[in-house]
Amino acid sequence: IDHWQIYVGQENLSRFLTIYEAIKKIQDIPGDIVELGSWQGGNLLGMAKTLQHLNPNGSKSIYSFDSFEGLTNPATEDDFDEALRGKYRGDFDKLIAAISLYNFDNQVFLKRGLIEDTVPKFVEKNPDRKISLIYYDADFFEPAETMFKYLVPRLSIGGIILLDEYGMPE
C-alpha cells in the first residue's frame, strides 16, 4: 500500500487530487462536508485524511449518505439499465470499522438509507448546519434533486459542489 502510486489509475488519481484541492479551498469556509453516495468509502476516508492532514485541529465533520444497497432506486428520468441493479453495493460494517480504525468516529458520520429519505430528516434535525463542500456521487435523479432542494441552500458563500463523473457518458 505504501506504493499505491504504482497501482492507482489516472482517473482515480485525478479524482483524489481534485478533492484534495477542493478541501484546501474550503478550509476557512464555514460548514461541514457532505458526501452523497459513498460505495466502499474510498473518497470518504480520503476526505477525512485530507482534512486531518491540512488542519489536524479542525472542527469540520463529514456526513456521508448512502443506502449501501448499490444502484437500486432509479426514477423514470434515470434511463436505468437493469443490468446495473445492485452495482456499487457498499459494505456498511466494513466502512464503520475503517472509520474506527483511523479514529474518525467523532468526525465522520454515516447516514444509512435512501438519500431522498435521509437528507430531509437530517436537515430537519440540523436546521442551522452549514455546508462548505458537497460531493455528489449518487448517480440518480432523485438524490440529485434532494441535494439541490435541501443541501445547496445550506452551502456557505464560497462553498463547493463536486459532481463525480460529471460529463462521463456512463
Side-chain angles (χ1 to χ4, degrees):
I1 199 81
D2 289 337
H3 302 283
W4 63 271
Q5 302 93 329
I6 295 170
Y7 306 101
V8 69
Q10 188 62 44
E11 185 177 301
N12 285 325
L13 181 61
S14 294
R15 178 184 297 115
F16 175 79
L17 292 173
T18 298
I19 293 169
Y20 179 86
E21 290 298 323
I23 291 174
K24 276 178 38 179
K25 290 180 180 180
I26 57 102
Q27 284 300 295
D28 296 325
I29 304 294
D32 294 318
I33 294 174
V34 172
E35 178 187 53
L36 301 172
S38 60
W39 189 22
Q40 298 295 332
N43 287 330
L44 177 63
L45 286 174
M47 287 188 285
K49 291 174 184 181
T50 299
L51 276 174
Q52 187 177 54
H53 169 74
L54 294 172
N55 190 354
N57 300 315
S59 62
K60 287 187 187 292
S61 294
I62 305 174
Y63 296 90
S64 185
F65 296 81
D66 197 303
S67 71
F68 295 93
E69 299 297 325
L71 300 177
T72 57
N73 197 35
T76 55
E77 293 89 348
D78 290 313
D79 191 28
F80 185 65
D81 178 354
E82 279 297 326
L84 298 175
R85 187 166 293 281
K87 187 174 182 180
Y88 305 118
R89 180 182 309 271
D91 187 330
F92 181 80
D93 294 330
K94 182 178 169 185
L95 186 50
I96 288 288
I99 290 167
S100 289
L101 175 68
Y102 291 103
N103 297 313
F104 290 131
D105 300 287
N106 295 319
Q107 182 183 19
V108 177
F109 305 98
L110 300 181
K111 303 297 180 181
R112 188 177 193 176
L114 293 174
I115 290 166
E116 52 270 29
D117 296 333
T118 55
V119 165
K121 290 175 187 173
F122 175 80
V123 168
E124 184 179 321
K125 289 180 183 176
N126 301 280
D128 297 324
R129 185 166 305 278
K130 294 303 238 175
I131 300 169
S132 57
L133 174 67
I134 300 171
Y135 185 84
Y136 182 83
D137 190 12
D139 298 321
F140 285 152
F141 175 80
E142 288 181 359
E145 184 178 51
T146 300
M147 173 186 70
F148 284 109
K149 181 176 180 180
Y150 291 94
L151 299 176
V152 170
R154 285 153 181 76
L155 193 65
S156 294
I157 294 172
I160 296 172
I161 301 172
L162 291 178
L163 303 173
D164 190 77
E165 299 163 338
Y166 179 78
M168 295 176 67
E170 65 278 4

